[in-house]
Structures are given as C-alpha cells and as structure tokens.
Amino acid sequence: MRDHDLFLKRALLDEGVATHDAVVAAERHAVEHGCDLTDALRATDAVPGRTIALVKAAMCEVPFVDLSDFEPCVANASLIPRALADRYRLFPLFHLDGVLTVAMDDPLNLEAADQVRQTARCEVDPVLAERELLGALIARAYSLHQAPGSAADRRDQSYDLEVDGPSSPAVAAVSHLLIDAIDRRASDVHLNPDEHEMHVRYRIDGVLQVQQGPPLSMHAAIVQRLKVMAHLDLTQTRRPQDGKFRLRHGDRTVDVRLSTIPTVCGENVVMRLLNGAQTAQDFRELGMPPALATETEQLISRPWGMLLATGPTGSGKTTTLYTAVSKLNTPDRNIMTIEDPVEIRLPMVRQVQVHHEIGLTFASALRSILRQDPDVVLVGEIRDAETGGIALQAALTGHLVLSTLHTNDAASAVARLRDLDLPPFLINSGLLGVIAQRLVRRICPHCIDSDLADAILLHRFGLSDASGFFRGTGCGRCGQTGYRGRLGVYELLTCTDPLRALIDARAGTDRIRQQAVADGMRPMWRDGLDKARLRQTSLEEISRVVMVDAVSESDGGTPPRRMVA
C-alpha cells in the first residue's frame, strides 16, 4: 500500500468515519482490482466521496472546494492541456493576480503542481475537490472548450463534413450540452451566436439561465452536427429549418425538436427537450387545490361536452389535458388525439400528428377522427373557426372534447370563441368549463427561509401583514436561484345557467368574470396567494407570473389590494 493510502487509512480511523472492517474490505478490493484506497472506499460504499475528500483536505492541510456549489469556468480548460488534467486529476478554477487556484485530487503531488506552474507560467494555489465531481468537470470542460492554438484542434474544427467522426470536438460538445441540459431539467436549449461570443442558455423552470458553453469558433460545427442529427439540409444556412431527433440518456428517452433561423451573426438554434418517458400525473400533483381538482374530475366524467384549458405558451395546458386523458384511459373508451407535435406517448390512445404540408390540419384530422367512433377527443389547439366549429359540434353529438386556447384567463375564452365567429347558442350548448392556468416556480426545499414581502407586493395583493411568506436563499441544488421545480396556479370557470344567459346576451368579458366569481370561481391570484402561504412558492413569483392588470380585475372587478386575504 502506498504511503498516501496509509495516511488516509489512519485519518479515516482516527476521525471515526469508517470502521476497521470496512477499511480492511476496501483494502482487499483495492488489491483485487488494482485501484487505490479512495476508489476502493467508494466502490465498496464504505465512505461517501464527500467525506473522503473532507478527510483528505484536513490531512493535507488545504482548503476543500465543493464543486457542486458553484459553476466553474470551463474556459479555464485553455490554461492547461487535457493530458495534464487527466494524468494528475486537476482543473484550474480561478486565475487572479498571477495565482492559479487549481482543484486537485492530491494536493501534495509536487510534481503535478510543478507541471501546472510551468505550463500556466504562474503560481499555483492547490485546493482539494471530490474525485468524482472533479473527473466529471474535467470531461465536460475539455469537451465544451477545446484548447485553442493546437494544430489538431484547428483541423478538427475546419472539417464540418466530418462532424460524425468519433474524435470530432463538435460531436463531444453537442453530447455534453444535451446531457448537461437534461441533467439540469432544462426544457429548452438556446445557442445564440453573437459578434464575439456564442451564448448558451437553458430554460429551467420557465426562466432562461446563462450557461457556460463552447467558444464561438465551434458554432458552425455544432450547428452542422445538430442538422445531421435532425436530418436537415446541411447546405442551407439562409432560411429557417425545423427537425427532430431522439436521445437516450441513461434510462431516459428524450425527444428533441430543433429549430434554426439565420441571423446577422449566424444561425440561431433553439432545442425543445421533451421527456418521452414522462407519465401523466394526478391533478393534485400538478398543484390543483383539492376542491378544484374534484370539480375538474366531475367535468371530465360527463359523457359529452367541451372542456378548455387556457393560458399562454408554456403554461402547462397540454400536461393538464394529458392528465385528464390518463384518468379517462380505460379499455371501454376509445380516445383519440390530434396534436402538433405529439409530446407524450400514451398506451391505448390513438394519437395523430398534424402535417400541414400534406393537408392534415386540425380541422381535417378532426373530421376523420369523428368517423373512428371516438368517445373522447383531444384537439391540441383551437386556432380557427373551422376547428372550433367542428369541435363544438362533436361536443354536442356525444363526444367529450378536450382542447386549448391562448387566452389570459378563463373568462376571456368565451370572447375568444366569439372572435372565431362561433354563435353563442353553440358555445352555450357545448362548453362545460374553462381551466385557466400558469406555472410558478417552487421554492427550493433545501434553502427555504422566511421572507418579508416588500410594501409594493403587499399593496398589490391587498395585504397588511408581511409575515407568513417564504423564499429560497439559493444553494448548489437549485443553481443559486432559490427555486427548484414548478407547480400550477389555476382558476376554473364552470358554465352555469346565469353564465349561459350572459353568453347568449353577448355580455363582455368583465361581466362574465364577475358572474363566474359570483358562481364560485376562485381567481388565479387567490390560488397563488394560498400557495405562497403554504411555503410552495413566493409572493414575488406569483406577482411575476400573474399579470397586474389581470389581478386588478379579479373578483368581479374589485382590486385585490382592497382586500385582506
């Protein structure tokens, strides 16, 4: 056993973090597999990697750096070659005032420190990092940022037609970007070329966040690689293109929708990541209050009629409808959907993909589906009068129809249907109800803390007490945002007899909203306020998502700032 392993063994036993039997078993594993004691301890689950790193840092009398708590600059990969980083397990973290702070697995390795000093031509300040996290950082950094200046790198970057080769930096960069985005739960990846830099941003929990990425010099090769994966025209760079491909990452399958558009600085790329293995949830798991979830379940239990989900793009409407379909998906029902695109595959459900190029639109597909003896029909979106008319007629002829509209609140759905020239009697006869929703970010459970809302927010929501609200302070698990995951805020308009009378009289949206509230509809901002008090989200997040104008018109036109919740 090496001296380093002997010292580590003694330190572990002295600190009491490992039993003698566990260390002996790890030593046996190290001999059998030809590895050192650190790897053997991790392989036998004797001691967690972080604990090993902390003991080693104390033993070496150097600072410990938790790489999961911050995002190291991958551009520092240009300071030392990949071979040196792999050989000694090290990576440069900071370069300040002529001193290079280097994360190392063995800070006492004087040879490694000397090699870095000669290569970077600066003083070296070693710190210790967990071996597993350090290895992942090295792999990601050198894949995303090839060290400039070498002839090999220049050759790899110049051969755009060879991006399929296993040694291509672009292939590795694309793979690491997508894997990183999936691991961070991103819904979209943006690659935005600028005059001097390529900006990489992930949309996480509905908010774009800047990420470190490859240099601008790799942009063309990365775009070519993505076009190959999506089977797009590699020679066409002056018009927009759309495509899709599928990824496998671990046990997950992810569908990627790729969109490119030419800009003055190069082709802009946006990728939408769709988790094909995602399963529909219960309404309550989506964030619906119990009473509203029960009422929604009662509506979808009707044999016929139309239920609409409304909200802007990315508000979770499709997920709500998928949840409804999953509850209705039994062998005695024939369920068919028309979607653009089909985002989640559901067993036994017949799902149709819209293809405008061949004339398979929502309206034409809906006509054909009604001849397939369906019990439940999901229409991805009502975009025109023809689709809306056919959908409402289907709702009157014994079918349960689920669909979406782009409106800001539930009451506006009626005006939107009227704008499509659908007659009031048809709306009254077919419409069961309208769910309006938004997605708000959940407070990170690992860094939640009490929050004293400022006077502006209190005034906006009509509150006099600043206590009882919470926020996330930011930690490594939430990317310092204070939020992790999302949930919905909802309002449900149910078509009652007084409401149908107003629709028949062509009443305005404000009057319809007032009647809906009088009939029991709880405005969306009220649902958000409840979730803020339940430690699920913050008052600031509710204010960000629910528009001030929409809030001020809630509760029948009475501004919420005049109320005390």
Side-chain angles (χ1 to χ4, degrees):
M1 181 179 290
R2 299 181 306 169
D3 291 341
H4 184 278
D5 288 347
L6 286 173
F7 291 140
L8 177 59
K9 173 183 176 181
R10 292 173 186 169
L12 291 172
L13 295 175
D14 291 343
E15 293 291 334
V17 297
T19 64
H20 183 268
D21 291 342
V23 174
V24 170
E27 289 176 335
R28 190 181 305 115
H29 181 93
V31 173
E32 292 174 355
H33 294 82
C35 61
D36 65 5
L37 184 59
T38 299
D39 285 337
L41 289 167
R42 291 286 291 111
T44 58
D45 293 326
V47 184
R50 178 185 172 86
T51 302
I52 297 173
L54 287 169
V55 171
K56 289 171 67 175
M59 183 180 71
C60 300
E61 297 182 347
V62 297
F64 167 74
V65 174
D66 189 348
L67 296 177
S68 64
D69 278 346
F70 67 98
E71 184 71 16
C73 181
V74 297
N76 289 341
S78 61
L79 299 176
I80 60 175
R82 172 72 182 267
L84 182 60
D86 283 335
R87 180 181 177 185
Y88 296 111
R89 286 199 186 100
L90 53 85
F91 187 81
L93 298 179
F94 313 109
H95 189 199
L96 299 172
D97 298 329
V99 178
L100 187 65
T101 301
V102 181
M104 303 178 68
D105 177 61
D106 182 8
L108 298 182
N109 191 330
L110 300 181
E111 179 184 351
D114 188 57
Q115 289 281 346
V116 173
R117 189 179 294 109
Q118 293 181 23
T119 302
R121 297 183 179 181
C122 61
E123 289 301 315
V124 173
D125 182 22
V127 296
L128 192 139
E130 185 178 341
R131 177 176 293 185
E132 188 175 1
L133 295 178
L134 183 56
L137 171 60
I138 292 171
R140 176 172 176 264
Y142 284 95
S143 296
L144 291 177
H145 196 288
Q146 300 296 314
S150 68
D153 290 339
R154 287 195 298 269
R155 283 196 301 270
D156 287 338
Q157 292 184 19
S158 63
Y159 288 101
D160 291 342
L161 296 180
E162 296 181 1
V163 293
D164 283 328
S167 61
S168 168
V171 174
V174 168
S175 298
H176 279 274
L177 278 172
L178 291 172
I179 290 172
D180 187 49
I182 293 170
D183 289 342
R184 292 172 182 265
R185 304 174 296 105
S187 62
D188 301 85
V189 178
H190 292 239
L191 305 180
N192 313 129
D194 215 336
E195 189 173 358
H196 304 293
E197 185 180 359
M198 181 169 70
H199 303 283
V200 177
R201 296 184 291 175
Y202 298 162
R203 189 175 294 279
I204 302 175
D205 296 333
V207 178
L208 280 177
Q209 299 180 16
V210 177
Q211 306 291 329
Q212 297 181 39
L216 182 62
S217 57
M218 292 188 66
H219 173 259
I222 289 174
V223 173
Q224 289 281 35
R225 171 60 180 168
L226 290 170
K227 285 183 176 180
V228 168
M229 297 172 72
H231 305 290
L232 301 182
D233 186 352
L234 301 181
T235 64
Q236 181 56 259
T237 61
R238 295 187 294 177
R239 65 175 176 85
Q241 296 192 69
D242 296 300
K244 59 183 178 179
F245 55 92
R246 178 168 290 182
L247 292 175
R248 291 191 181 275
H249 176 47
D251 59 349
R252 287 179 288 180
T253 299
V254 178
D255 291 317
V256 181
R257 286 160 49 194
L258 175 70
S259 173
T260 69
I261 191 169
T263 69
V264 292
C265 294
E267 289 184 274
N268 195 74
V269 176
V270 175
M271 290 176 280
R272 169 65 57 88
L273 308 183
L274 303 171
N275 189 352
Q278 180 180 348
T279 56
Q281 308 168 76
D282 184 83
F283 286 127
R284 291 164 181 81
E285 293 176 7
L286 298 178
M288 278 193 186
L292 192 146
T294 299
E295 193 171 356
T296 302
E297 290 169 358
Q298 291 173 351
L299 288 178
I300 64 174
S301 67
R302 303 279 187 90
W304 56 268
M306 176 187 283
L307 177 66
L308 294 175
T310 71
T313 301
S315 60
K317 302 185 298 296
T318 302
T319 301
T320 298
L321 295 187
Y322 274 137
T323 304
V325 168
S326 69
K327 285 186 167 293
L328 297 169
N329 192 11
T330 57
D332 60 335
R333 284 193 181 96
N334 180 22
I335 302 178
M336 303 195 72
T337 75
I338 314 163
E339 304 172 65
D340 185 22
V342 175
E343 296 187 5
I344 301 175
R345 308 291 175 87
L346 298 174
M348 292 196 303
V349 177
R350 304 300 89 200
Q351 296 174 272
V352 178
Q353 169 73 54
V354 168
H355 288 289
H356 296 281
E357 299 82 1
I358 61 174
L360 185 60
T361 62
F362 281 111
S364 63
L366 183 54
R367 284 197 187 91
S368 299
I369 277 180
L370 294 178
R371 293 192 286 269
Q372 292 278 315
D373 187 31
D375 298 297
V376 180
V377 179
L378 187 155
V379 183
E381 182 183 350
I382 294 178
R383 300 177 178 176
D384 51 55
E386 184 179 15
T387 305
I390 298 173
L392 278 173
Q393 291 287 356
L396 292 175
T397 54
H399 307 88
L400 180 63
V401 180
L402 309 174
S403 191
T404 69
L405 276 178
H406 285 288
T407 63
N408 288 328
D409 59 5
S412 300
V414 175
R416 176 65 177 146
L417 292 174
R418 287 200 299 244
D419 289 343
L420 295 176
D421 293 329
L422 298 177
F425 77 87
L426 191 59
I427 300 173
N428 270 337
S429 301
L431 188 63
L432 296 175
V434 182
I435 300 172
Q437 64 183 85
R438 299 288 192 280
L439 291 179
V440 297
R441 293 179 290 176
R442 290 181 182 269
I443 297 176
C444 174
H446 304 288
C447 61
I448 188 171
D449 196 5
S450 59
D451 181 28
L452 292 177
D454 61 35
I456 296 177
L457 285 179
L458 293 176
H459 179 70
R460 183 174 300 167
F461 285 93
L463 301 172
S464 58
D465 187 1
S467 62
F469 297 103
F470 302 86
R471 65 183 179 91
T473 58
C475 65
R477 300 190 185 186
C478 62
Q480 307 300 328
T481 63
Y483 299 96
R484 183 175 177 85
R486 290 193 289 178
L487 76 160
V489 290
Y490 302 89
E491 64 183 22
L492 173 61
L493 177 150
T494 303
C495 283
T496 61
D497 288 340
L499 202 61
R500 289 191 176 95
L502 290 177
I503 295 174
D504 191 54
R506 298 182 178 273
T509 299
D510 289 344
R511 184 69 188 90
I512 290 175
R513 183 183 298 109
Q514 292 171 4
Q515 184 61 53
V517 171
D519 290 340
M521 183 182 82
R522 206 155 190 269
M524 196 185 308
W525 71 270
R526 283 279 189 188
D527 184 29
L529 196 59
D530 290 343
K531 288 178 168 65
R533 290 198 180 279
L534 291 172
R535 305 167 62 104
Q536 295 176 339
T537 188
S538 67
L539 199 61
E540 182 181 15
E541 179 70 2
I542 297 298
S543 178
R544 181 185 70 86
V545 172
V546 180
M547 294 178 60
V548 176
D549 291 342
V551 168
S552 65
E553 295 170 0
S554 302
D555 284 354
T558 304
R561 59 178 177 270
R562 298 176 187 168
M563 305 176 185
V564 177

